[in-house]
Amino acid sequence: MQVPFLNLRAQHDPLRQEISAAIQEVIDTSAFAGGSFVAAFEKDFAPYCGAKYAIGLGHGTEALWLALLALGVGAGDEVITVPSTFMATAEAITFCGAKPVFVDIEEQTFTLDSKQLERAITPRTKAIIPVHLFGQVADMDPILEVARRHKLPVIEDACQAHGAEYNGKRAGSLGVAGCFSFYPGKNLGAMGEAGALVTDDSRLKDQVAMLRDHGQRKKYHHAVVGWNARMDGIQGAVLKIKLKHLEKGNDLRRRHAALYGQLLADEKALRLPLEASGRKHVYHIYAVRVQRRDAIIEAMAARGIHCGIHYPIPVHLQEAYQSLGLGKGSFPVAERCAEEFLSLPMFPELSVEQIETVARELRDVIRTLGLA
Ligand SMILES: Cc1ncc(COP(=O)(O)O)c(C=O)c1O
């Protein structure tokens, strides 16, 4: 049996007619760049996240970047984040002219280790960006407590955590702003590139809305130098439809994660992901930790099972960030995780049979490689 890592076709087939009709409507009204379809999605997405406002943007990277710009982060500043993330989190910081400063992650949740946060703060620190990696919200209470004491804004990188919760509050509603990606493979994915920022702060909302539209407050009146970061009308229309199915998709992901957990619980060679207490994990990625990960991924692929790695190199060891001078050993947990992470197939439309096949083959590969 073939098990793909992701199957977007299976997600879109049942929605094809509804989405096609919505795209036709965008074509009929020519609302292609920003406009009414984006506004309609924003109106639904903000309350879904438990936030007052949502601003549709070109992608998640832009959401992070504009959040930082709107908060006044610039040259010479430092912004704290984690090395276990997609490159975009750090890129957004660099694109403001600021320097990314990393804090290692927790061994169990793979999110920012709040115990190490305070010592990374300097007089240059201007913001903190915890990353809700794989769909689990970082331990926000202690992070927010440190941030409050140092009067620093917390921007959530919720690009992998649509609908995830922390003590009953949704990802994106805990910090001053939440940044989302709707890259097609995300739990809420567009049919192209898209992103959003959510916030309760009306001034921040106005600032980001202005920045995404060339710094215009009024057409052709540019108050500041901004950018073109508008969401496409077609993506707004698609996302409004797909948002209605997000909860169902997240529930299925949670059910699949529980089944993987059950089937792999006694496999000593594996460390399974953990849902921390008070949190609702939405399993954008179901990552186990295992030795000889690269050999396993190859053997699984040979058996028709396609796994992933998120991410093989922590950001501080990327060639692009060599100038930071952070060598191996700087962030041992993130580095160990990068060597051991193995992402198993995870998407709502997976069948029980497919999950059983993945678990059975993985156990067998572990045995064949002599890991158990
Ligand atoms: C943690 C994280 N941050 C930021 C981004 C950037 O989002 P986008 O690809 O929409 O620019 C992503 C998307 O892959 C992500 O996973």
Side-chain angles (χ1 to χ4, degrees):
M1 179 193 279
Q2 290 282 324
V3 186
F5 182 66
L6 182 65
N7 184 353
L8 289 179
R9 179 84 193 256
Q11 188 183 106
H12 292 142
D13 272 347
L15 305 176
R16 185 181 290 266
Q17 271 190 340
E18 194 182 355
I19 288 176
S20 297
I23 291 174
Q24 286 302 325
E25 228 186 299
V26 179
I27 295 170
D28 289 343
T29 54
S30 305
F32 294 117
S36 58
F37 293 92
V38 174
F41 167 67
E42 291 169 343
K43 206 158 157 269
D44 289 354
F45 190 60
Y48 174 82
C49 295
K52 279 195 192 148
Y53 312 104
I55 304 283
L57 299 165
H59 39 76
T61 312
E62 240 162 23
L64 290 159
W65 180 50
L66 295 194
L68 290 165
L69 286 181
L71 289 167
V73 175
D77 294 337
E78 295 178 355
V79 176
I80 296 174
T81 190
V82 285
S84 291
T85 183
F86 181 58
M87 181 69 176
T89 320
E91 278 175 326
I93 297 167
T94 301
F95 260 64
C96 294
K99 176 181 157 190
V101 171
F102 300 107
V103 168
D104 211 346
I105 54 166
E106 295 176 344
E107 194 86 48
Q108 301 284 347
T109 65
F110 320 136
T111 59
L112 192 147
D113 184 351
S114 61
K115 293 187 292 307
Q116 301 189 45
L117 176 58
E118 196 145 25
R119 74 174 89 120
I121 295 174
T122 76
R124 289 171 184 264
T125 308
K126 287 291 169 344
I128 302 167
I129 310 184
V131 178
H132 305 331
L133 197 72
F134 300 158
Q136 172 149 248
V137 178
D139 195 4
M140 290 299 285
D141 278 350
I143 293 170
L144 289 167
E145 197 273 318
V146 172
R148 248 190 309 272
R149 238 178 319 111
H150 291 266
K151 297 190 170 47
L152 292 170
V154 174
I155 299 165
E156 296 172 66
D157 184 336
C159 286
Q160 300 189 2
H162 320 70
E165 292 178 15
Y166 181 87
N167 293 334
K169 292 185 85 175
R170 287 248 163 97
S173 70
L174 295 138
V176 64
C179 300
F180 289 88
S181 164
F182 306 119
Y183 184 75
K186 296 289 198 272
N187 291 27
L188 178 59
M191 291 184 157
E193 304 278 355
L197 176 144
V198 302
T199 184
D200 281 347
D201 182 328
S202 66
R203 278 184 40 206
L204 184 65
K205 179 260 297 176
D206 289 343
Q207 193 69 15
V208 172
M210 190 165 67
L211 288 170
R212 81 170 160 181
D213 197 18
H214 299 290
Q216 296 183 101
R217 262 202 211 106
K218 213 169 103 188
K219 199 167 170 84
Y220 303 134
H221 290 69
H222 304 270
V224 294
V225 175
W227 197 251
N228 176 358
R230 295 179 298 251
M231 182 189 278
D232 285 351
I234 285 177
Q235 301 311 336
V238 168
L239 286 166
K240 186 174 161 64
I241 292 168
K242 291 188 68 180
L243 178 59
K244 294 185 288 183
H245 302 273
L246 176 58
E247 278 302 278
K248 192 179 67 207
N250 281 348
D251 287 347
L252 286 164
R253 287 171 185 271
R254 289 175 56 75
R255 205 184 301 168
H256 299 338
L259 183 54
Y260 272 136
Q262 219 174 296
L263 296 170
L264 297 168
D266 62 347
E267 182 52 75
K268 299 263 185 314
L270 295 176
R271 283 174 76 164
L272 303 182
L274 173 138
E275 184 178 58
S277 100
R279 276 171 257 191
K280 181 178 171 187
H281 197 318
V282 293
Y283 295 101
H284 171 55
I285 300 284
Y286 186 91
V288 300
R289 288 175 62 181
V290 65
Q291 302 296 315
R292 296 192 59 202
R293 180 266 323 277
D294 293 340
I296 292 179
I297 208 167
E298 208 176 296
M300 291 290 277
R303 294 168 185 226
I305 295 163
H306 302 281
C307 300
I309 304 173
H310 301 88
Y311 298 91
I313 306 172
V315 177
H316 68 286
L317 296 180
Q318 292 288 351
E319 190 184 341
Y321 279 120
Q322 261 181 13
S323 59
L324 293 175
L326 297 164
K328 260 198 159 171
S330 303
F331 304 102
V333 183
E335 289 168 27
R336 247 189 336 266
C337 285
E339 279 172 17
E340 296 174 7
F341 275 152
L342 173 73
S343 310
L344 304 186
M346 173 56 83
F347 52 92
E349 297 75 17
L350 268 178
S351 68
V352 167
E353 202 187 355
Q354 284 176 312
I355 295 168
E356 285 170 348
T357 304
V358 175
R360 190 178 57 244
E361 296 297 335
L362 180 57
R363 280 171 170 286
D364 195 56
V365 165
I366 285 170
R367 240 118 264 102
T368 311
L369 291 174
L371 293 168

